Amino acid sequence: MKVAALAGGVGAGKFLRGLVRVVPPEAVTVIVNTGDDLTLHGLHVSPDLDSVTYWLSDLADRDRGWGRRDETFRALEEVRRLGGDPWFSLGDLDLGTHLTRTHWLHEGGTLSEATDRIRTALGIRSVILPMSDQQITTWIDAIDEESGGALSIPFQVYWVARGARDEVKSVRFEGFDRARPAPGAEEAIGDADVVVICPSNPVVSVGPILAVPGLRAAVEVRKDSVVGVSPIVRGAPVAGMADRLMPAAGLEVTASGAAAAYRGLLAAWVIDERDAELGPGIEEDLGIRVGITDTLMTDDRAAERVARAALSLLDG
Ligand code: GDP
C-alpha cells in the first residue's frame, strides 16, 4: 500500500512515526509545508521539514516537540553575547542541518535535493518532499497588540517573535503564483492508495500546501481515498496556537471546524473519542465517514493506533 501524507510539523511528525509502523516506511511519501521557511543568520531554515525529518529519524525532542533531542544552544548564546539577535531558537545540532542545507542551496541544488540528501543521511526510508522548490511565504495580517494599528508580518515573526499575541485578521500566501509543486509531489498523490492529511494546523500548515498550484486539484481528484486526522481535541489544539488562526479563516476551533477546512477533499476524518458527539454532525455536513479513537499521540504505540484508525476508515 502506497501512502502520500500532507504534513506540517510536530503533529505530523508524531503521526508519521505511527504510520510507518503500519505500512512499510518506503511506501510513504510525505509532502511538507515550507510556508514557514525563513532565513536566519544567513541560513535557510525549514521548520516543518526539519520537524518531520527529526521525528522520522527518531532524533526529535518529544517533550519540547520541536528540534533535536540532547540539544545544546551554545552557538546561539554566543550570537547573543556578540550583539546578534537570536530571536528564533536554533540548537547546535540543528544548526548543522541548516548549514548543510544552505551550502547545498548555494551550490545550486534545490530544496527537494537537499531534503532528500539529509533524510537519506539520517537513514529515513520514507520520501520527504517540500511542497515546492520555490519559496512561498505565509504572511499574517493582524492588529498590533500594543498600538492597535495594522500589522503585516511573516508567520514566524507573528508566531515566535511576537508569541501569537496579535489578533489575526487574515492569512496570505505570497509567491504561490510563481510556484510549482516539488518534483514527485503530484505523482505521489496520484499514485497513492491512501492520501492522509496529518493532524496539523489546517490554516498555516496544510493551507500553504493546498495553495501550491496543482496540489489542491491533485488531492481533489483522489478525494475518495483521502483521510484526515483532527488536530483539534475538545475545542483546542493539542499543542500550538491553531485557535488563534482558525477563526481568521472562518473556521470554528473544533474537530468539525478543522474538517470543514477540507470540505470537498475528504472521504473520511478521524476525531478524538472526547469529541465523539461531533461525529454524526460531521458525517452529515461533509458527507464523509468519521472514525473515533484516542488521538493523543503520547508515544509511538498511540500514534500507531491513530494511523490504523485512519487507514481502516478507507477499507472496503
Ligand atoms: P507546527 O508547525 O509544528 O505547529 O506543526 P503542525 O501544524 O503539524 O502541528 C500542530 C498541530 O498538531 C496542532 O494543531 C496540534 O493540535 C496538533 N497535534 C500535536 N500533537 C497532537 C496529538 O498528539 N494528537 C492530535 N490529534 N493532534 C496533535
Side-chain angles (χ1 to χ4, degrees), residues 3-24:
V3 180
L6 310 189
V10 178
K14 288 188 203 171
F15 173 81
L16 291 164
R17 288 194 61 77
L19 182 66
V20 298
R21 290 163 68 111
V22 182
V23 298

Side-chain angles (χ1 to χ4, degrees), residues 8-12 14 36 48 199-201 205 230-231 237-239 242 295-297:
V10 178
K14 288 188 203 171
D36 315 347
D48 284 355
S200 296
N201 187 316
S205 289
S230 178
V238 176
T295 67
L296 290 185
M297 298 177 287

Side-chain angles (χ1 to χ4, degrees), residues 278-303:
L278 299 177
I282 298 171
E283 288 190 330
E284 197 179 327
D285 180 31
L286 297 182
I288 60 174
R289 248 163 297 162
V290 167
I292 297 170
T293 190
D294 177 359
T295 67
L296 290 185
M297 298 177 287
T298 43
D299 57 25
D300 292 345
R301 284 247 302 266

Side-chain angles (χ1 to χ4, degrees), residues 24-298:
E26 51 278 8
V28 176
T29 300
V30 192
I31 300 161
V32 184
N33 169 44
T34 54
D36 315 347
D37 285 18
L38 68 169
T39 302
L40 288 164
H41 316 292
L43 303 175
H44 184 110
V45 178
S46 294
D48 284 355
L49 274 176
D50 293 338
S51 283
V52 166
T53 302
Y54 296 156
W55 278 92
L56 278 176
S57 56
D58 201 14
L59 294 172
D61 186 304
R62 190 173 272 278
D63 299 329
R64 206 183 326 111
W66 55 270
R68 296 272 306 255
R69 202 168 48 227
D70 303 322
E71 184 62 289
T72 50
F73 292 87
R74 297 191 62 200
L76 233 59
E77 281 159 24
E78 192 65 3
V79 169
R80 182 177 289 114
R81 196 163 74 98
L82 296 175
D85 179 11
W87 63 274
F88 191 96
S89 288
L90 299 173
D92 299 330
L93 297 170
D94 192 33
L95 274 168
T97 307
H98 310 314
L99 286 166
T100 310
R101 171 171 43 228
T102 306
H103 174 69
W104 284 333
L105 291 174
H106 283 170
E107 277 187 336
T110 64
L111 186 58
S112 308
E113 288 162 355
T115 303
D116 199 60
R117 288 173 78 172
I118 292 168
R119 72 98 184 166
T120 305
L122 294 178
I124 298 172
R125 287 187 284 152
S126 303
V127 173
I128 302 176
L129 300 175
M131 62 191 196
S132 176
D133 280 333
Q134 287 77 44
Q135 182 57 44
I136 296 176
T137 304
T138 303
W139 281 78
I140 303 292
D141 294 324
I143 304 292
D144 187 326
E145 209 240 356
E146 287 105 55
S147 72
L151 199 63
S152 199
I153 40 181
F155 172 75
Q156 293 293 1
V157 174
Y158 161 76
W159 194 256
V160 178
R162 299 182 62 83
R165 63 179 188 254
D166 310 293
E167 186 192 334
V168 180
K169 289 291 168 195
S170 60
V171 178
R172 296 182 282 120
F173 307 120
E174 232 179 64
F176 70 89
D177 43 336
R178 296 181 300 277
R180 294 180 303 284
E186 283 168 296
E187 295 79 356
I189 294 167
D191 292 347
D193 298 292
V194 174
V195 178
V196 183
I197 301 180
C198 294
S200 296
N201 187 316
V203 181
V204 292
S205 289
V206 183
I209 301 175
L210 295 173
V212 178
L215 288 187
R216 173 179 285 274
V219 174
E220 203 168 3
V221 297
R222 301 301 320 286
K223 69 180 268 223
D224 291 343
S225 306
V226 180
V227 57
V229 179
S230 178
I232 304 293
V233 175
R234 285 235 73 45
V238 176
M241 299 171 264
D243 50 324
R244 308 282 293 145
L245 295 155
M246 289 177 69
L251 301 168
E252 198 180 74
V253 187
T254 60
S256 318
Y262 307 123
R263 188 180 293 279
L265 300 177
L266 292 173
W269 183 243
V270 178
I271 63 172
D272 193 86
E273 59 192 14
R274 297 160 193 82
D275 289 324
E277 74 280 2
L278 299 177
I282 298 171
E283 288 190 330
E284 197 179 327
D285 180 31
L286 297 182
I288 60 174
R289 248 163 297 162
V290 167
I292 297 170
T293 190
D294 177 359
T295 67
L296 290 185
M297 298 177 287
T298 43

